Amino acid sequence: MTERANRVVRLLSPRRSSTAVPTPDVVLAELGLPVREVAPPAVAQVPAVRAGSFVFTSGQLPIRHGELLAAGRVGDTLGVADGQACAQWCVLNALAAIRSEIGDLGRVRRVVKVVVYVASGALFTDQALVANGASELLGRVFGDAGQHARSAVGVSALPLDAPVELELVVEI
């Protein structure tokens, strides 16, 4: 198939809304959000695993340029907006893991499930608002195919004192 035909097939694919939606890479570029190469894991795991038509990511932290975007607990040392920004960086890292597994984010037919873990202060109960940072970004990047099931879970601590960790499941 020619490149033009591939592009038409992608644009007309049922995984998106009836109006033409740019590819995920185009949307991310327009938003100024880079999806870099996946960083090698620091522990005994792989960044993503493909099982049939699904790709499951390992937990992704808000790491940018090799360092945590922020550290601490939301509702304690960090606010909701900080947590949302961290959730967005977790999405970018999850997309890098998925791209390393399938080669092209345009192959994602649907975002199936997102699990967002939020390191939370003792009285913090707005984990869902933090997770919205991830959900809204996925909706912008994938259009209707970015609508997903989600869990937002408050925890006392995460690896490296990260405020957010995210797992993503997509169908290809």
Side-chain angles (χ1 to χ4, degrees), residues 122-145:
L123 301 176
F124 184 75
T125 59
D126 285 331
Q127 289 82 6
L129 294 178
V130 172
N132 282 349
S135 294
E136 291 169 4
L137 178 58
L138 288 165
R140 287 191 69 183
V141 171
F142 292 103
D144 289 345

mmCIF file with all atom_site columns, all heavy atoms in Angstrom, residues 122-145:
data_model
loop_
_atom_site.group_PDB
_atom_site.id
_atom_site.type_symbol
_atom_site.label_atom_id
_atom_site.label_alt_id
_atom_site.label_comp_id
_atom_site.label_asym_id
_atom_site.label_entity_id
_atom_site.label_seq_id
_atom_site.pdbx_PDB_ins_code
_atom_site.Cartn_x
_atom_site.Cartn_y
_atom_site.Cartn_z
_atom_site.occupancy
_atom_site.B_iso_or_equiv
_atom_site.pdbx_formal_charge
_atom_site.auth_seq_id
_atom_site.auth_comp_id
_atom_site.auth_asym_id
_atom_site.auth_atom_id
_atom_site.pdbx_PDB_model_num
ATOM 1   N N   . ALA A 1 122 ? -2.445  12.611 53.920 1.00 0.00 ? 122 ALA A N   1
ATOM 2   C CA  . ALA A 1 122 ? -3.374  11.851 54.757 1.00 0.00 ? 122 ALA A CA  1
ATOM 3   C C   . ALA A 1 122 ? -4.840  12.189 54.511 1.00 0.00 ? 122 ALA A C   1
ATOM 4   O O   . ALA A 1 122 ? -5.695  11.302 54.557 1.00 0.00 ? 122 ALA A O   1
ATOM 5   C CB  . ALA A 1 122 ? -3.031  12.056 56.227 1.00 0.00 ? 122 ALA A CB  1
ATOM 6   N N   . LEU A 1 123 ? -5.161  13.433 54.238 1.00 0.00 ? 123 LEU A N   1
ATOM 7   C CA  . LEU A 1 123 ? -6.554  13.833 54.070 1.00 0.00 ? 123 LEU A CA  1
ATOM 8   C C   . LEU A 1 123 ? -6.945  14.108 52.623 1.00 0.00 ? 123 LEU A C   1
ATOM 9   O O   . LEU A 1 123 ? -8.050  14.573 52.353 1.00 0.00 ? 123 LEU A O   1
ATOM 10  C CB  . LEU A 1 123 ? -6.848  15.072 54.931 1.00 0.00 ? 123 LEU A CB  1
ATOM 11  C CG  . LEU A 1 123 ? -6.617  14.892 56.434 1.00 0.00 ? 123 LEU A CG  1
ATOM 12  C CD1 . LEU A 1 123 ? -6.848  16.200 57.176 1.00 0.00 ? 123 LEU A CD1 1
ATOM 13  C CD2 . LEU A 1 123 ? -7.503  13.785 56.989 1.00 0.00 ? 123 LEU A CD2 1
ATOM 14  N N   . PHE A 1 124 ? -6.072  13.805 51.679 1.00 0.00 ? 124 PHE A N   1
ATOM 15  C CA  . PHE A 1 124 ? -6.325  14.105 50.283 1.00 0.00 ? 124 PHE A CA  1
ATOM 16  C C   . PHE A 1 124 ? -7.263  13.072 49.672 1.00 0.00 ? 124 PHE A C   1
ATOM 17  O O   . PHE A 1 124 ? -7.015  11.863 49.781 1.00 0.00 ? 124 PHE A O   1
ATOM 18  C CB  . PHE A 1 124 ? -5.008  14.150 49.497 1.00 0.00 ? 124 PHE A CB  1
ATOM 19  C CG  . PHE A 1 124 ? -5.184  14.556 48.064 1.00 0.00 ? 124 PHE A CG  1
ATOM 20  C CD1 . PHE A 1 124 ? -5.436  15.884 47.737 1.00 0.00 ? 124 PHE A CD1 1
ATOM 21  C CD2 . PHE A 1 124 ? -5.107  13.626 47.048 1.00 0.00 ? 124 PHE A CD2 1
ATOM 22  C CE1 . PHE A 1 124 ? -5.603  16.270 46.420 1.00 0.00 ? 124 PHE A CE1 1
ATOM 23  C CE2 . PHE A 1 124 ? -5.266  14.000 45.722 1.00 0.00 ? 124 PHE A CE2 1
ATOM 24  C CZ  . PHE A 1 124 ? -5.521  15.333 45.404 1.00 0.00 ? 124 PHE A CZ  1
ATOM 25  N N   . THR A 1 125 ? -8.337  13.531 49.033 1.00 0.00 ? 125 THR A N   1
ATOM 26  C CA  . THR A 1 125 ? -9.320  12.616 48.435 1.00 0.00 ? 125 THR A CA  1
ATOM 27  C C   . THR A 1 125 ? -9.651  12.957 46.976 1.00 0.00 ? 125 THR A C   1
ATOM 28  O O   . THR A 1 125 ? -10.622 12.435 46.438 1.00 0.00 ? 125 THR A O   1
ATOM 29  C CB  . THR A 1 125 ? -10.627 12.610 49.247 1.00 0.00 ? 125 THR A CB  1
ATOM 30  O OG1 . THR A 1 125 ? -11.153 13.940 49.281 1.00 0.00 ? 125 THR A OG1 1
ATOM 31  C CG2 . THR A 1 125 ? -10.386 12.095 50.669 1.00 0.00 ? 125 THR A CG2 1
ATOM 32  N N   . ASP A 1 126 ? -8.856  13.790 46.334 1.00 0.00 ? 126 ASP A N   1
ATOM 33  C CA  . ASP A 1 126 ? -9.135  14.196 44.959 1.00 0.00 ? 126 ASP A CA  1
ATOM 34  C C   . ASP A 1 126 ? -8.227  13.485 43.950 1.00 0.00 ? 126 ASP A C   1
ATOM 35  O O   . ASP A 1 126 ? -7.803  14.083 42.959 1.00 0.00 ? 126 ASP A O   1
ATOM 36  C CB  . ASP A 1 126 ? -9.006  15.709 44.816 1.00 0.00 ? 126 ASP A CB  1
ATOM 37  C CG  . ASP A 1 126 ? -10.182 16.453 45.413 1.00 0.00 ? 126 ASP A CG  1
ATOM 38  O OD1 . ASP A 1 126 ? -11.294 15.879 45.427 1.00 0.00 ? 126 ASP A OD1 1
ATOM 39  O OD2 . ASP A 1 126 ? -10.002 17.599 45.845 1.00 0.00 ? 126 ASP A OD2 1
ATOM 40  N N   . GLN A 1 127 ? -7.975  12.207 44.158 1.00 0.00 ? 127 GLN A N   1
ATOM 41  C CA  . GLN A 1 127 ? -7.148  11.440 43.233 1.00 0.00 ? 127 GLN A CA  1
ATOM 42  C C   . GLN A 1 127 ? -7.727  11.472 41.820 1.00 0.00 ? 127 GLN A C   1
ATOM 43  O O   . GLN A 1 127 ? -6.993  11.521 40.839 1.00 0.00 ? 127 GLN A O   1
ATOM 44  C CB  . GLN A 1 127 ? -6.997  9.986  43.713 1.00 0.00 ? 127 GLN A CB  1
ATOM 45  C CG  . GLN A 1 127 ? -6.144  9.816  44.939 1.00 0.00 ? 127 GLN A CG  1
ATOM 46  C CD  . GLN A 1 127 ? -6.882  10.077 46.247 1.00 0.00 ? 127 GLN A CD  1
ATOM 47  O OE1 . GLN A 1 127 ? -8.087  10.293 46.274 1.00 0.00 ? 127 GLN A OE1 1
ATOM 48  N NE2 . GLN A 1 127 ? -6.152  10.060 47.348 1.00 0.00 ? 127 GLN A NE2 1
ATOM 49  N N   . ALA A 1 128 ? -9.054  11.464 41.712 1.00 0.00 ? 128 ALA A N   1
ATOM 50  C CA  . ALA A 1 128 ? -9.686  11.477 40.391 1.00 0.00 ? 128 ALA A CA  1
ATOM 51  C C   . ALA A 1 128 ? -9.347  12.763 39.629 1.00 0.00 ? 128 ALA A C   1
ATOM 52  O O   . ALA A 1 128 ? -9.186  12.729 38.409 1.00 0.00 ? 128 ALA A O   1
ATOM 53  C CB  . ALA A 1 128 ? -11.199 11.331 40.526 1.00 0.00 ? 128 ALA A CB  1
ATOM 54  N N   . LEU A 1 129 ? -9.225  13.877 40.337 1.00 0.00 ? 129 LEU A N   1
ATOM 55  C CA  . LEU A 1 129 ? -8.853  15.128 39.669 1.00 0.00 ? 129 LEU A CA  1
ATOM 56  C C   . LEU A 1 129 ? -7.427  15.057 39.143 1.00 0.00 ? 129 LEU A C   1
ATOM 57  O O   . LEU A 1 129 ? -7.130  15.575 38.057 1.00 0.00 ? 129 LEU A O   1
ATOM 58  C CB  . LEU A 1 129 ? -9.003  16.316 40.619 1.00 0.00 ? 129 LEU A CB  1
ATOM 59  C CG  . LEU A 1 129 ? -10.424 16.652 41.065 1.00 0.00 ? 129 LEU A CG  1
ATOM 60  C CD1 . LEU A 1 129 ? -10.407 17.828 42.044 1.00 0.00 ? 129 LEU A CD1 1
ATOM 61  C CD2 . LEU A 1 129 ? -11.318 16.941 39.871 1.00 0.00 ? 129 LEU A CD2 1
ATOM 62  N N   . VAL A 1 130 ? -6.542  14.424 39.874 1.00 0.00 ? 130 VAL A N   1
ATOM 63  C CA  . VAL A 1 130 ? -5.165  14.239 39.409 1.00 0.00 ? 130 VAL A CA  1
ATOM 64  C C   . VAL A 1 130 ? -5.172  13.362 38.166 1.00 0.00 ? 130 VAL A C   1
ATOM 65  O O   . VAL A 1 130 ? -4.525  13.676 37.157 1.00 0.00 ? 130 VAL A O   1
ATOM 66  C CB  . VAL A 1 130 ? -4.284  13.625 40.524 1.00 0.00 ? 130 VAL A CB  1
ATOM 67  C CG1 . VAL A 1 130 ? -2.909  13.242 39.981 1.00 0.00 ? 130 VAL A CG1 1
ATOM 68  C CG2 . VAL A 1 130 ? -4.154  14.586 41.700 1.00 0.00 ? 130 VAL A CG2 1
ATOM 69  N N   . ALA A 1 131 ? -5.922  12.268 38.212 1.00 0.00 ? 131 ALA A N   1
ATOM 70  C CA  . ALA A 1 131 ? -5.988  11.343 37.074 1.00 0.00 ? 131 ALA A CA  1
ATOM 71  C C   . ALA A 1 131 ? -6.573  12.008 35.829 1.00 0.00 ? 131 ALA A C   1
ATOM 72  O O   . ALA A 1 131 ? -6.273  11.592 34.710 1.00 0.00 ? 131 ALA A O   1
ATOM 73  C CB  . ALA A 1 131 ? -6.799  10.109 37.460 1.00 0.00 ? 131 ALA A CB  1
ATOM 74  N N   . ASN A 1 132 ? -7.385  13.049 36.010 1.00 0.00 ? 132 ASN A N   1
ATOM 75  C CA  . ASN A 1 132 ? -7.931  13.769 34.862 1.00 0.00 ? 132 ASN A CA  1
ATOM 76  C C   . ASN A 1 132 ? -6.827  14.336 33.972 1.00 0.00 ? 132 ASN A C   1
ATOM 77  O O   . ASN A 1 132 ? -7.020  14.473 32.763 1.00 0.00 ? 132 ASN A O   1
ATOM 78  C CB  . ASN A 1 132 ? -8.861  14.897 35.303 1.00 0.00 ? 132 ASN A CB  1
ATOM 79  C CG  . ASN A 1 132 ? -10.223 14.390 35.719 1.00 0.00 ? 132 ASN A CG  1
ATOM 80  O OD1 . ASN A 1 132 ? -10.574 13.233 35.495 1.00 0.00 ? 132 ASN A OD1 1
ATOM 81  N ND2 . ASN A 1 132 ? -10.990 15.260 36.351 1.00 0.00 ? 132 ASN A ND2 1
ATOM 82  N N   . GLY A 1 133 ? -5.684  14.666 34.550 1.00 0.00 ? 133 GLY A N   1
ATOM 83  C CA  . GLY A 1 133 ? -4.564  15.145 33.734 1.00 0.00 ? 133 GLY A CA  1
ATOM 84  C C   . GLY A 1 133 ? -4.181  14.130 32.674 1.00 0.00 ? 133 GLY A C   1
ATOM 85  O O   . GLY A 1 133 ? -3.927  14.474 31.517 1.00 0.00 ? 133 GLY A O   1
ATOM 86  N N   . ALA A 1 134 ? -4.167  12.857 33.048 1.00 0.00 ? 134 ALA A N   1
ATOM 87  C CA  . ALA A 1 134 ? -3.851  11.782 32.107 1.00 0.00 ? 134 ALA A CA  1
ATOM 88  C C   . ALA A 1 134 ? -5.007  11.556 31.135 1.00 0.00 ? 134 ALA A C   1
ATOM 89  O O   . ALA A 1 134 ? -4.810  11.467 29.921 1.00 0.00 ? 134 ALA A O   1
ATOM 90  C CB  . ALA A 1 134 ? -3.538  10.495 32.864 1.00 0.00 ? 134 ALA A CB  1
ATOM 91  N N   . SER A 1 135 ? -6.225  11.465 31.656 1.00 0.00 ? 135 SER A N   1
ATOM 92  C CA  . SER A 1 135 ? -7.386  11.163 30.823 1.00 0.00 ? 135 SER A CA  1
ATOM 93  C C   . SER A 1 135 ? -7.627  12.236 29.768 1.00 0.00 ? 135 SER A C   1
ATOM 94  O O   . SER A 1 135 ? -7.925  11.925 28.611 1.00 0.00 ? 135 SER A O   1
ATOM 95  C CB  . SER A 1 135 ? -8.634  11.002 31.694 1.00 0.00 ? 135 SER A CB  1
ATOM 96  O OG  . SER A 1 135 ? -8.510  9.867  32.523 1.00 0.00 ? 135 SER A OG  1
ATOM 97  N N   . GLU A 1 136 ? -7.511  13.484 30.158 1.00 0.00 ? 136 GLU A N   1
ATOM 98  C CA  . GLU A 1 136 ? -7.738  14.567 29.202 1.00 0.00 ? 136 GLU A CA  1
ATOM 99  C C   . GLU A 1 136 ? -6.687  14.573 28.100 1.00 0.00 ? 136 GLU A C   1
ATOM 100 O O   . GLU A 1 136 ? -7.003  14.814 26.922 1.00 0.00 ? 136 GLU A O   1
ATOM 101 C CB  . GLU A 1 136 ? -7.793  15.901 29.932 1.00 0.00 ? 136 GLU A CB  1
ATOM 102 C CG  . GLU A 1 136 ? -9.045  16.028 30.796 1.00 0.00 ? 136 GLU A CG  1
ATOM 103 C CD  . GLU A 1 136 ? -9.030  17.204 31.751 1.00 0.00 ? 136 GLU A CD  1
ATOM 104 O OE1 . GLU A 1 136 ? -8.064  18.015 31.727 1.00 0.00 ? 136 GLU A OE1 1
ATOM 105 O OE2 . GLU A 1 136 ? -9.982  17.324 32.538 1.00 0.00 ? 136 GLU A OE2 1
ATOM 106 N N   . LEU A 1 137 ? -5.431  14.298 28.454 1.00 0.00 ? 137 LEU A N   1
ATOM 107 C CA  . LEU A 1 137 ? -4.385  14.232 27.436 1.00 0.00 ? 137 LEU A CA  1
ATOM 108 C C   . LEU A 1 137 ? -4.644  13.081 26.465 1.00 0.00 ? 137 LEU A C   1
ATOM 109 O O   . LEU A 1 137 ? -4.542  13.243 25.249 1.00 0.00 ? 137 LEU A O   1
ATOM 110 C CB  . LEU A 1 137 ? -3.005  14.100 28.070 1.00 0.00 ? 137 LEU A CB  1
ATOM 111 C CG  . LEU A 1 137 ? -1.834  13.983 27.087 1.00 0.00 ? 137 LEU A CG  1
ATOM 112 C CD1 . LEU A 1 137 ? -1.778  15.185 26.140 1.00 0.00 ? 137 LEU A CD1 1
ATOM 113 C CD2 . LEU A 1 137 ? -0.519  13.829 27.851 1.00 0.00 ? 137 LEU A CD2 1
ATOM 114 N N   . LEU A 1 138 ? -5.005  11.921 26.976 1.00 0.00 ? 138 LEU A N   1
ATOM 115 C CA  . LEU A 1 138 ? -5.295  10.780 26.105 1.00 0.00 ? 138 LEU A CA  1
ATOM 116 C C   . LEU A 1 138 ? -6.477  11.080 25.185 1.00 0.00 ? 138 LEU A C   1
ATOM 117 O O   . LEU A 1 138 ? -6.470  10.691 24.016 1.00 0.00 ? 138 LEU A O   1
ATOM 118 C CB  . LEU A 1 138 ? -5.548  9.525  26.935 1.00 0.00 ? 138 LEU A CB  1
ATOM 119 C CG  . LEU A 1 138 ? -4.301  8.949  27.598 1.00 0.00 ? 138 LEU A CG  1
ATOM 120 C CD1 . LEU A 1 138 ? -4.684  7.956  28.690 1.00 0.00 ? 138 LEU A CD1 1
ATOM 121 C CD2 . LEU A 1 138 ? -3.385  8.316  26.572 1.00 0.00 ? 138 LEU A CD2 1
ATOM 122 N N   . GLY A 1 139 ? -7.480  11.785 25.674 1.00 0.00 ? 139 GLY A N   1
ATOM 123 C CA  . GLY A 1 139 ? -8.600  12.176 24.844 1.00 0.00 ? 139 GLY A CA  1
ATOM 124 C C   . GLY A 1 139 ? -8.190  13.115 23.725 1.00 0.00 ? 139 GLY A C   1
ATOM 125 O O   . GLY A 1 139 ? -8.656  12.983 22.591 1.00 0.00 ? 139 GLY A O   1
ATOM 126 N N   . ARG A 1 140 ? -7.301  14.042 24.031 1.00 0.00 ? 140 ARG A N   1
ATOM 127 C CA  . ARG A 1 140 ? -6.833  14.974 23.000 1.00 0.00 ? 140 ARG A CA  1
ATOM 128 C C   . ARG A 1 140 ? -5.984  14.262 21.951 1.00 0.00 ? 140 ARG A C   1
ATOM 129 O O   . ARG A 1 140 ? -6.070  14.555 20.772 1.00 0.00 ? 140 ARG A O   1
ATOM 130 C CB  . ARG A 1 140 ? -6.038  16.114 23.625 1.00 0.00 ? 140 ARG A CB  1
ATOM 131 C CG  . ARG A 1 140 ? -6.958  17.078 24.372 1.00 0.00 ? 140 ARG A CG  1
ATOM 132 C CD  . ARG A 1 140 ? -6.294  18.336 24.775 1.00 0.00 ? 140 ARG A CD  1
ATOM 133 N NE  . ARG A 1 140 ? -5.985  19.166 23.618 1.00 0.00 ? 140 ARG A NE  1
ATOM 134 C CZ  . ARG A 1 140 ? -5.337  20.308 23.698 1.00 0.00 ? 140 ARG A CZ  1
ATOM 135 N NH1 . ARG A 1 140 ? -4.943  20.766 24.869 1.00 0.00 ? 140 ARG A NH1 1
ATOM 136 N NH2 . ARG A 1 140 ? -5.081  21.006 22.619 1.00 0.00 ? 140 ARG A NH2 1
ATOM 137 N N   . VAL A 1 141 ? -5.159  13.330 22.399 1.00 0.00 ? 141 VAL A N   1
ATOM 138 C CA  . VAL A 1 141 ? -4.229  12.653 21.486 1.00 0.00 ? 141 VAL A CA  1
ATOM 139 C C   . VAL A 1 141 ? -4.945  11.634 20.596 1.00 0.00 ? 141 VAL A C   1
ATOM 140 O O   . VAL A 1 141 ? -4.659  11.545 19.408 1.00 0.00 ? 141 VAL A O   1
ATOM 141 C CB  . VAL A 1 141 ? -3.090  11.977 22.274 1.00 0.00 ? 141 VAL A CB  1
ATOM 142 C CG1 . VAL A 1 141 ? -2.243  11.085 21.373 1.00 0.00 ? 141 VAL A CG1 1
ATOM 143 C CG2 . VAL A 1 141 ? -2.220  13.026 22.961 1.00 0.00 ? 141 VAL A CG2 1
ATOM 144 N N   . PHE A 1 142 ? -5.886  10.883 21.163 1.00 0.00 ? 142 PHE A N   1
ATOM 145 C CA  . PHE A 1 142 ? -6.511  9.783  20.425 1.00 0.00 ? 142 PHE A CA  1
ATOM 146 C C   . PHE A 1 142 ? -7.966  10.033 20.048 1.00 0.00 ? 142 PHE A C   1
ATOM 147 O O   . PHE A 1 142 ? -8.605  9.161  19.464 1.00 0.00 ? 142 PHE A O   1
ATOM 148 C CB  . PHE A 1 142 ? -6.405  8.484  21.232 1.00 0.00 ? 142 PHE A CB  1
ATOM 149 C CG  . PHE A 1 142 ? -5.000  7.979  21.357 1.00 0.00 ? 142 PHE A CG  1
ATOM 150 C CD1 . PHE A 1 142 ? -4.294  8.146  22.535 1.00 0.00 ? 142 PHE A CD1 1
ATOM 151 C CD2 . PHE A 1 142 ? -4.377  7.342  20.302 1.00 0.00 ? 142 PHE A CD2 1
ATOM 152 C CE1 . PHE A 1 142 ? -2.986  7.682  22.667 1.00 0.00 ? 142 PHE A CE1 1
ATOM 153 C CE2 . PHE A 1 142 ? -3.075  6.869  20.412 1.00 0.00 ? 142 PHE A CE2 1
ATOM 154 C CZ  . PHE A 1 142 ? -2.378  7.044  21.597 1.00 0.00 ? 142 PHE A CZ  1
ATOM 155 N N   . GLY A 1 143 ? -8.515  11.185 20.365 1.00 0.00 ? 143 GLY A N   1
ATOM 156 C CA  . GLY A 1 143 ? -9.913  11.454 20.040 1.00 0.00 ? 143 GLY A CA  1
ATOM 157 C C   . GLY A 1 143 ? -10.828 10.486 20.765 1.00 0.00 ? 143 GLY A C   1
ATOM 158 O O   . GLY A 1 143 ? -10.580 10.123 21.917 1.00 0.00 ? 143 GLY A O   1
ATOM 159 N N   . ASP A 1 144 ? -11.882 10.043 20.086 1.00 0.00 ? 144 ASP A N   1
ATOM 160 C CA  . ASP A 1 144 ? -12.835 9.115  20.702 1.00 0.00 ? 144 ASP A CA  1
ATOM 161 C C   . ASP A 1 144 ? -12.170 7.821  21.154 1.00 0.00 ? 144 ASP A C   1
ATOM 162 O O   . ASP A 1 144 ? -12.595 7.205  22.128 1.00 0.00 ? 144 ASP A O   1
ATOM 163 C CB  . ASP A 1 144 ? -13.967 8.779  19.732 1.00 0.00 ? 144 ASP A CB  1
ATOM 164 C CG  . ASP A 1 144 ? -14.909 9.951  19.507 1.00 0.00 ? 144 ASP A CG  1
ATOM 165 O OD1 . ASP A 1 144 ? -14.870 10.921 20.287 1.00 0.00 ? 144 ASP A OD1 1
ATOM 166 O OD2 . ASP A 1 144 ? -15.681 9.896  18.532 1.00 0.00 ? 144 ASP A OD2 1
ATOM 167 N N   . ALA A 1 145 ? -11.132 7.402  20.460 1.00 0.00 ? 145 ALA A N   1
ATOM 168 C CA  . ALA A 1 145 ? -10.415 6.177  20.829 1.00 0.00 ? 145 ALA A CA  1
ATOM 169 C C   . ALA A 1 145 ? -9.642  6.340  22.137 1.00 0.00 ? 145 ALA A C   1
ATOM 170 O O   . ALA A 1 145 ? -9.168  5.368  22.709 1.00 0.00 ? 145 ALA A O   1
ATOM 171 C CB  . ALA A 1 145 ? -9.449  5.769  19.715 1.00 0.00 ? 145 ALA A CB  1
#
